[in-house]
Amino acid sequence: MKLSVLDLAPADPDTSYETALADIVRLAQRAEGAGFERVWYAEHHNMPSIASSATSVLIAHVAANTERIRLGAGGVMLPNHSPLVIAEQFGTLAALHPGRIDLGLGRAPGTDQKTFRALRRDPMASERFPSDVVELQEFLAGRKPIEGVGAAPVAATPPPLYILGSSLFGASLAAQLGLPYAFASHFAPDQMTQALATYRENFQPSEQLEEPYAIVGANVVAHTDREVAAEIEREVLKRRVASFVKRANAEARPFTDDELELIVDSPQGRQITNMMRVRAVGDAEDVRAGLVQIQAQTGADELMLAFHGRSAEERLGALDIAAAAELDPAR
């Protein structure tokens, strides 16, 4: 079973951004040493708790501080950019780090409507996502989809494209274009089974890919002590609920810990925490069993793991436990 990492690039409230960025590098280095396939970072804007807004810059920095592991965007939110600019950025990255750069693409803006306006983008940009993906593909290959306009640098090995999604739209597009598909089941699992089936049933071979290739996101909360893992899980879920409330009402006062406990157990709280239900929690044996079950349920070619914890050290520890979990489904 191929394992990869989705680094959510958390900027913990009690640390500086400089520390958060250094922790991101440490996680990639640890993942490389443990034999993970790749590490991806997602583009988000106007979210102070996430340090991956300048995704291509972050990838460049991590690539310069690692040696072999693949690195990429999981993803670039293409409606926020012109295909030409992304082709220039990722063509540069692929030329600097040959054979190590991936480009995952998402259709959502990855932010709220006010921030989308601040990005100076057309509200209809999401509707052009399929044609923009094709245009980007042409630019990266060194062709000129717009007469007289090409992207440079053009890498000898262009970065492979991946379609990200949490619905049937992305699954259908990935199948139509013959591209790998990464399903965001780590935060939006409702249509996971249907989307993966749609992708596989409708896949059309392409220059990049002969057969369907599906990546499935999963959350991991792990500790050598199962009870501590359960404590971490509870804290992660409380933070998740608090972030949703804050996003809905930026002026809301912070909740006390007792209030969060009540909210998490409420119907509304369970609706939010249920979005993270594709997860493996516990010690090495629990995590191994959980991930094997997710792979068996989805038939994923690769699991992309988002490691959670109350600190960078707990996230690093969770990565170590997953790496040592002997993920053999036949075991």
Side-chain angles (χ1 to χ4, degrees):
M1 191 191 308
K2 284 187 178 180
L3 293 181
S4 294
V5 178
L6 175 63
D7 188 347
L8 300 174
D12 295 325
D14 56 345
T15 63
S16 66
Y17 283 112
E18 290 80 2
T19 299
L21 292 166
D23 289 337
I24 289 168
V25 172
R26 283 203 298 154
L27 190 75
Q29 291 171 335
R30 191 75 66 91
E32 180 173 72
F36 283 82
E37 185 78 10
R38 68 187 93 239
V39 182
W40 280 1
Y41 309 96
E43 174 189 350
H44 292 283
H45 299 284
N46 194 29
M47 294 187 184
S49 61
I50 297 176
S52 56
S53 55
T55 316
S56 59
V57 177
L58 180 60
I59 292 169
H61 178 63
V62 177
N65 285 278
T66 51
E67 297 178 0
R68 299 175 304 279
I69 195 166
R70 297 192 67 88
L71 299 163
V76 159
M77 301 298 110
L78 197 52
N80 296 341
H81 313 275
S82 74
L84 175 61
V85 168
I86 297 303
E88 291 170 340
Q89 291 178 2
F90 280 80
T92 301
L93 285 169
L96 288 169
H97 306 282
R100 295 185 59 202
I101 303 300
D102 299 328
L103 178 49
L105 301 169
R107 183 169 68 115
T111 188
D112 57 77
Q113 289 301 313
K114 288 183 179 179
T115 308
F116 191 67
R117 289 197 296 272
L119 291 166
R120 301 293 194 271
R121 299 301 292 163
D122 178 357
M124 298 301 293
S126 295
E127 302 302 317
R128 297 192 296 271
F129 181 68
S131 60
D132 281 354
V133 172
V134 173
E135 185 177 306
L136 172 59
Q137 199 169 28
E138 292 289 291
F139 278 132
L140 287 169
R143 295 185 281 267
K144 297 182 178 180
I146 299 173
E147 186 176 356
V149 179
V154 176
T157 304
L161 299 187
Y162 297 75
I163 299 297
L164 279 59
S166 58
S167 69
L168 302 187
F169 179 91
S172 298
L173 180 63
Q176 176 187 340
L177 298 179
L179 295 175
Y181 179 53
F183 190 83
S185 40
H186 63 292
F187 77 90
D190 288 350
Q191 296 191 57
M192 177 177 68
T193 301
Q194 189 178 1
L196 292 172
T198 296
Y199 170 63
R200 293 178 177 125
E201 290 167 4
N202 295 283
F203 181 83
Q204 299 294 318
S206 68
E207 183 179 343
Q208 179 176 326
L209 195 63
E210 293 184 359
E211 297 180 349
Y213 190 90
I215 300 174
V216 169
N219 300 289
V220 174
V221 178
H223 195 276
T224 53
D225 186 318
R226 286 174 172 166
E227 292 185 4
V228 175
E231 292 173 7
I232 297 172
E233 178 189 30
R234 185 70 177 180
E235 185 64 29
V236 167
L237 295 178
K238 287 193 293 186
R239 289 185 180 185
R240 178 75 170 176
V241 169
S243 71
F244 264 74
V245 173
K246 184 69 174 177
R247 205 175 305 168
N249 182 5
E251 304 303 319
R253 65 169 177 80
F255 290 107
T256 67
D257 194 65
D258 288 342
E259 288 172 333
L260 280 175
E261 288 284 355
L262 293 173
I263 295 172
V264 167
D265 291 328
S266 70
Q268 296 85 352
R270 286 195 296 271
Q271 186 175 4
I272 294 171
T273 59
N274 194 47
M275 295 168 67
M276 295 181 67
R277 67 181 179 271
V278 179
R279 62 182 185 262
V281 180
D283 62 13
E285 186 61 25
D286 297 327
V287 168
R288 187 201 71 81
L291 295 181
V292 167
Q293 182 179 11
I294 293 168
Q295 197 281 333
Q297 177 187 357
T298 62
D301 299 287
E302 183 176 334
L303 294 182
M304 181 159 281
L305 309 182
F307 296 103
H308 298 272
R310 297 166 295 191
S311 66
E313 296 307 321
E314 286 185 344
R315 293 188 289 271
L316 287 168
L319 184 150
D320 291 339
I321 289 171
E326 299 181 27
L327 294 174
D328 177 6
R331 181 180 165 194

